[in-house]
Amino acid sequence: MKRILVTGGTGFIGSHTVVELQQHGYEVIIVDNLVNSSIEVLDNIAKITGIKPSFEQFDLADPAKTADFFNRNKDLSGIIHFAAYKAVGESMQKPLEYYRNNIGSLLNILEGMKTCALGDIVFSSSCTVYGQPDELPVTEQAPIKPAWSPYGNTKQMCEEILRFSAASLPIKAIALRYFNPIGAHESALIGELPLGIPNNLVPYITQTAIGLRQSLHVFGNDYDTPDGTAMRDYIHVVDIARAHVVAIGRMINKRMKHNMEIFNLGTGHGFSVLEVIQSFERVSGLKLNYKIVDRRPGDIEKVWASTDFANKELGWKAEKKIDEMMTSAWKWEKALADRKGQQ
Ligand code: WQD
């Protein structure tokens, strides 16, 4: 059984990817420092798949601990690297922590890969590297624009580190640029674990509907879009997770055509904030309490993916539609409330 290291595997996208990997016959070991997730995720993964993943808790930004891990794990077939700080707004306040953590962790992992002659890494990147594209849908060949945040800059820098490492070291890398991952596993056993006030739209919608938040603030309705609110390419987290299984399989089966490959993970369709709200109201039967306020500094106006390359080259396509995404997000929020009620 091929063994895959999933860093950040107790996080939102990481946990959904672990479920898909196990269900596709891979053995998984998770490394996570649990600063942004909780250890119960391991049991909830086991409730879904029947297999509790191996787990080690330490900080991948620690060179000695990471080197020690790789010295003890020389049988890995691949790595999927999620572990990173990922809050755009927080990164504006704490740039040095973001560079040290996000860049340092990747460098320690690449050093570790040399130790155990491991050559395959899938990297969690983001459409944020594009900034506001000049043309839509945005393709993988679109110019990378100056980052709007240290978070986005670390994603750009990590892609460049992988590109040069893959050119000179015995390493192959696939960078997956997520658009806006939302929703939750249909079991409602894993999902986006909210720590504090959500930055992202969908958890804020469901927390408002469940009564944790007073009302949703819609950040601007004066954009150049059909209803004036900003547009994004929302994609179900399970579709994102399945793309990682395809990517790691491509590497392990030596189907890559270049030492570094980059793929957009989106649906190819943009939805406005109001359309997402309308989808939520449709699937929940509730009226959402929201009001239009000023734009959020740093937000881009509209972005959605060109999916041709991922569809053709990876043979992967996002399947789930917006109403299914919002249904799963709402089911997850209600499950969280039930669990709190039981505590
Ligand atoms: C979506 C839309 C907001 C909250 C960020 C990162 C990206 C990725 C996903 C990590 C925007 C609007 C939001 C609210 C609102 N993160 N909004 N009221 O900013 O597109 O992407 O998260 O990988 O890298 O950049 O996602 O969910 O914050 O915002 O009106 O309370 O919803 O203005 O138009 P974003 P988001």
Side-chain angles (χ1 to χ4, degrees):
M1 191 185 274
K2 297 214 179 290
R3 196 160 174 260
I4 305 295
L5 164 60
V6 178
T7 73
T10 54
F12 175 37
I13 301 167
S15 56
H16 287 81
T17 300
V18 169
V19 164
E20 296 298 324
L21 284 168
Q22 290 183 329
Q23 291 178 337
H24 284 76
Y26 289 98
E27 184 188 341
V28 172
I29 177 161
I30 293 174
V31 168
D32 204 302
N33 62 6
L34 298 180
V35 290
N36 227 352
S37 56
S38 74
I39 198 152
E40 292 107 67
V41 168
L42 299 176
D43 289 330
N44 292 331
I45 288 171
K47 284 179 192 157
I48 296 169
T49 64
I51 311 159
K52 188 169 181 177
S54 311
F55 173 69
E56 288 198 28
Q57 179 180 356
F58 67 87
D59 193 339
L60 288 153
D62 180 321
K65 288 184 178 158
T66 305
D68 171 58
F69 173 84
F70 280 98
N71 280 321
R72 291 183 285 107
N73 289 275
K74 297 195 174 183
D75 62 338
L76 295 169
S77 298
I79 298 178
I80 304 182
H81 179 41
F82 292 103
Y85 295 157
K86 62 154 193 147
V88 173
E90 183 187 51
S91 76
M92 306 295 274
Q93 314 306 324
K94 301 179 175 176
L96 300 186
E97 287 87 335
Y98 268 68
Y99 287 115
R100 188 179 310 284
N101 184 66
N102 293 3
I103 308 299
S105 302
L106 178 62
L107 294 177
N108 293 339
I109 287 167
L110 292 172
E111 289 292 349
M113 289 172 75
K114 277 165 59 180
T115 308
C116 47
L118 174 59
D120 294 335
I121 179 168
V122 175
F123 174 67
S124 162
S125 190
S126 167
C127 66
T128 204
V129 303
Y130 296 116
Q132 175 57 63
D134 299 326
E135 283 177 45
L136 291 172
V138 61
T139 72
E140 290 86 350
Q141 289 70 43
I144 300 301
K145 295 199 170 172
W148 288 27
S149 70
Y151 161 74
N153 193 203
T154 64
K155 289 300 180 187
Q156 293 173 338
M157 292 168 73
C158 285
E159 285 192 6
E160 289 297 279
I161 290 167
L162 287 169
R163 185 163 68 86
F164 283 105
S165 300
S168 56
L169 301 173
I171 282 174
K172 290 194 183 323
I174 291 181
L176 298 176
R177 291 175 178 167
Y178 314 154
F179 282 68
N180 283 57
I182 63 170
H185 190 267
E186 61 187 3
S187 64
L189 286 166
I190 54 175
E192 196 167 2
L193 261 187
L195 297 175
I197 301 173
N199 292 303
N200 294 135
L201 175 65
V202 171
Y204 210 108
I205 287 177
T206 57
Q207 286 193 13
T208 300
I210 203 97
L212 288 174
R213 306 285 159 211
Q214 185 60 34
S215 97
L216 170 75
H217 286 179
V218 174
F219 296 138
N221 68 344
D222 57 349
Y223 287 103
D224 177 18
T225 61
D227 64 21
T229 61
M231 296 176 73
R232 297 288 186 275
D233 185 334
Y234 297 94
I235 177 170
H236 199 293
V237 63
V238 170
D239 277 326
I240 293 267
R242 288 173 180 163
H244 287 75
V245 179
V246 173
I248 203 77
R250 179 182 174 87
M251 304 186 102
I252 289 173
N253 297 310
K254 310 289 179 219
R255 287 202 296 272
M256 286 179 74
K257 294 177 178 165
H258 303 282
N259 287 348
M260 170 126 181
E261 295 179 334
I262 296 175
F263 296 97
N264 284 340
L265 297 189
T267 67
H269 189 93
F271 281 102
S272 72
V273 177
L274 290 181
E275 286 173 323
V276 175
I277 292 170
Q278 285 147 22
S279 170
F280 175 76
E281 292 182 333
R282 203 164 40 241
V283 303
S284 65
L286 300 173
K287 198 92 193 77
L288 189 78
N289 184 15
Y290 69 89
K291 68 175 181 180
I292 309 288
V293 298
D294 291 340
R295 294 183 178 190
R296 179 171 66 177
D299 274 349
I300 61 166
E301 178 170 76
K302 50 194 171 191
V303 66
W304 52 90
S306 163
T307 57
D308 296 347
F309 186 52
N311 297 167
K312 183 174 64 64
E313 202 51 48
L314 277 186
W316 166 89
K317 189 172 175 57
E319 292 160 4
K320 298 175 186 293
K321 304 296 180 211
I322 190 71
D323 282 8
E324 185 177 353
M325 298 181 213
M326 296 310 289
T327 299
S328 67
W330 182 222
K331 188 179 172 191
W332 166 246
E333 189 67 60
K334 288 187 287 185
L336 283 176
D338 290 349
R339 275 187 232 162
K340 252 188 237 156
Q342 286 153 12
Q343 278 165 359

